[in-house]
Amino acid sequence: MYLHATTGTIDFLSSLQQKHPNVSISARGPEAILYYEDNKEKSIFSTNMTYDILNEQGSLDEELPLSMFYIPAAGDGTHSLRGHLSDLSEELRAVNGIVSYRVGVNTRDENYIVLIKWADMSIYNDFKHTDVYKNYLTSESLKSFRNEESLFGDYLSSKFYYNIDDNEYTEEEKEELSD
């Protein structure tokens, strides 16, 4: 199974979603992510991120908020990182409030993604104070997988996206869009 994703503005990705009704959209302010799963490695998106799914649970429902953790890997650390993320998958099964998740590796390089669908945003905020988060998804916990090839790059980035109907722009974001 493959997870395909692309990012962009809500307006652009909403128009793309209308052409492809099988894709889901989530947003944060003016930014959005469009994603879908299938058994084909080739994506319908021209600018995309395609991930080979290593571990999964549940179905991806666009009505729920999601968090995306992007974890770059390089060199010898990638195999032990894969084991670390496999252990994370087992831990995620027991976390209350996680509706579904995907752990995957990018098909073009050894970068990983952890996508988690939450029953509610407050659960994600609570999750950030758990041992599972601390031991598996913080920069500190992933630091041991770094090597000389990855010392100068960002090691972890994450984004939180809302259901498109729950997404609200801040006043500053609205002004940026109108300029």
Side-chain angles (χ1 to χ4, degrees):
M1 177 75 69
Y2 295 94
L3 172 70
H4 307 279
T6 191
T7 56
T9 65
I10 290 177
D11 293 338
F12 175 72
L13 294 183
S14 293
S15 67
L16 194 56
Q17 184 187 33
Q18 290 173 0
K19 296 176 188 171
H20 303 283
N22 66 322
V23 300
S24 298
I25 190 169
S26 295
R28 181 181 183 107
E31 297 177 39
I33 185 167
L34 207 54
Y35 57 95
Y36 72 98
E37 293 180 293
D38 68 13
N39 291 318
K40 300 173 188 166
E41 188 172 342
K42 179 140 175 62
S43 175
I44 61 171
F45 305 134
S46 57
T47 305
N48 72 317
M49 300 165 283
T50 296
Y51 297 91
D52 186 7
I53 300 302
L54 305 172
N55 301 96
E56 66 181 285
Q57 179 178 310
S59 62
L60 297 183
D61 177 353
E62 95 172 359
E63 298 303 312
L64 300 172
L66 71 90
S67 59
M68 301 278 278
F69 296 88
Y70 301 96
I71 306 167
D76 297 335
T78 58
H79 296 294
S80 54
L81 178 57
R82 189 174 287 212
H84 177 80
L85 294 175
S86 180
D87 293 344
L88 168 64
S89 295
E90 291 303 314
E91 294 287 339
L92 291 177
R93 293 181 192 280
V95 176
N96 287 333
I98 291 180
V99 175
S100 61
Y101 67 84
R102 301 292 184 270
V103 176
V105 60
N106 193 299
T107 57
R108 290 182 284 205
D109 54 35
E110 283 289 314
N111 293 320
Y112 293 84
I113 190 168
V114 177
L115 179 154
I116 303 173
K117 284 288 198 166
W118 301 94
D120 186 80
M121 185 182 110
S122 65
I123 296 167
Y124 169 70
N125 291 330
D126 292 344
F127 174 72
K128 292 191 300 185
H129 300 286
T130 66
D131 286 342
V132 173
Y133 178 79
K134 179 183 164 205
N135 295 334
Y136 291 95
L137 289 171
T138 62
S139 293
E140 187 66 28
S141 66
L142 295 165
K143 170 167 67 171
S144 64
F145 302 103
R146 296 184 81 158
N147 61 23
E148 61 278 353
E149 294 176 49
S150 61
L151 285 177
F152 300 105
D154 290 336
Y155 202 68
L156 171 69
S157 66
S158 64
K159 296 253 182 178
F160 188 87
Y161 295 96
Y162 302 93
N163 158 324
I164 199 79
D165 294 329
D166 293 338
N167 181 54
E168 295 180 12
Y169 292 108
T170 64
E171 289 304 314
E172 184 177 296
E173 290 167 335
K174 287 178 186 176
E175 286 177 22
E176 286 176 19
L177 286 177
S178 63
D179 289 342

